[in-house]
Amino acid sequence: MANILLDDLDQELERRGHRFCRYADDCNIYVQSLAAGQRVMESVVRFLERKLHLRVNREKSAVAPVGERKFLGHRLLLNGKLGISPKSIKRAKEKVRQTTRRNRGVSLVQVIVDLNRFLTGWVLYYRYAACRAELIRMDEWIRRKLRCYRLKQRKRGKSLAGFLQQLGASASLAHRLASSGKGWWRLSLARPVHQAMSKDWFAIQGLTSLVDKYDALQH
């Protein structure tokens, strides 16, 4: 429906010689200065509202440097490449938080299955973005969230100490950590915990690595 209604807009922007990108009702127009942006914004709004009789969402519309605007979850970087918009990263983290909330009462295996469904589709969508550094940080953060989840499952005392020993931690360190009063988030960053539930350990559990999946998609 948007393509039918906005075909006239596409033709008008082409007639004016503007560089633009539109998907459904989401449209970015690229100009060389703030003044030009304000001028084009006013004229395009007039065209949409007076000629096409469409209402423009003023709250979502703005004139801004290209790096500050998002388009379909992406943003343009200064080098001209695509990146992931900060809001998209924020929404993805919120989804991970919901999936790894520590009161879910399901197994770590199920949490990983649920995460993989989301992460696989998410990284596939952003496969054309230059985002490897962000994905490395996201992977690390997700593993830390899962460490918290697993630690809370084992609780304190002998159960946690035995679990850490089973994964290679020394008996003294395991018992010291198990009796620690630190919160799960701080405890998840302790070296023995980090080493016991390493990247390789999570790979064995079947967790999708965003950066590994991204690298595979680049070939």
Side-chain angles (χ1 to χ4, degrees):
M1 183 65 73
N3 285 336
I4 294 172
L5 290 172
L6 295 176
D7 182 64
D8 287 342
L9 173 64
D10 294 344
Q11 294 183 42
E12 177 67 14
L13 294 177
E14 289 173 355
R15 186 187 66 78
R16 297 183 188 185
H18 289 314
R19 296 179 180 271
F20 69 97
C21 188
R22 183 181 66 78
Y23 183 85
D25 63 344
D26 196 353
C27 184
N28 279 7
I29 304 170
Y30 304 101
V31 295
Q32 293 185 341
S33 68
L34 178 63
Q38 292 170 336
R39 184 170 61 251
V40 170
M41 168 73 87
E42 291 174 4
S43 65
V44 169
V45 168
R46 281 197 305 270
F47 177 82
L48 287 168
E49 294 186 338
R50 295 180 184 178
K51 184 166 184 178
L52 301 186
H53 306 289
L54 298 172
R55 185 168 57 188
V56 175
N57 188 328
R58 311 261 178 171
E59 292 182 1
K60 291 185 178 180
S61 303
V63 177
V66 66
E68 295 179 9
R69 302 297 293 170
K70 67 181 181 67
F71 185 70
L72 304 178
H74 294 78
R75 66 188 179 107
L76 278 177
L77 306 177
L78 293 177
N79 59 9
K81 293 183 178 180
L82 282 177
I84 303 179
S85 75
K87 286 186 178 179
S88 297
I89 295 285
K90 184 178 179 180
R91 283 197 297 269
K93 284 191 168 185
E94 184 55 37
K95 176 66 175 178
V96 172
R97 286 190 184 96
Q98 289 297 316
T99 306
T100 60
R101 64 185 187 276
R102 287 169 239 161
N103 61 353
R104 281 192 68 191
V106 300
S107 68
L108 181 67
V109 171
Q110 185 59 53
V111 171
I112 289 175
V113 168
D114 294 342
L115 273 178
N116 285 348
R117 289 196 191 104
F118 168 70
L119 297 175
T120 300
W122 190 79
V123 74
L124 184 63
Y125 181 80
Y126 290 105
R127 64 190 180 278
Y128 298 119
C131 57
R132 197 173 189 277
E134 287 96 331
L135 296 183
I136 290 173
R137 289 192 291 271
M138 180 79 85
D139 271 341
E140 292 172 348
W141 180 78
I142 290 169
R143 289 195 293 270
R144 191 175 176 189
K145 294 291 289 182
L146 289 173
R147 289 186 192 107
C148 289
Y149 191 91
R150 191 67 178 113
L151 288 173
K152 187 177 180 184
Q153 281 186 322
R154 303 302 299 197
K155 300 183 180 179
R156 306 282 180 174
K158 292 182 179 180
S159 176
L160 179 54
F163 172 68
L164 293 175
Q165 287 181 77
Q166 182 183 351
L167 294 179
S170 68
S172 60
L173 273 176
H175 282 91
R176 190 185 310 161
L177 287 168
S179 60
S180 170
K182 293 179 181 178
W184 301 118
W185 185 247
R186 288 185 62 193
L187 199 60
S188 68
L189 204 56
R191 182 174 295 179
V193 174
H194 198 275
Q195 291 175 340
M197 290 183 279
S198 63
K199 178 181 177 180
D200 290 340
W201 184 82
F202 279 114
I204 293 170
Q205 309 311 306
L207 177 66
T208 292
S209 165
L210 290 171
V211 72
D212 289 350
K213 184 75 71 176
Y214 175 81
D215 287 345
L217 291 167
Q218 305 311 301
H219 301 297

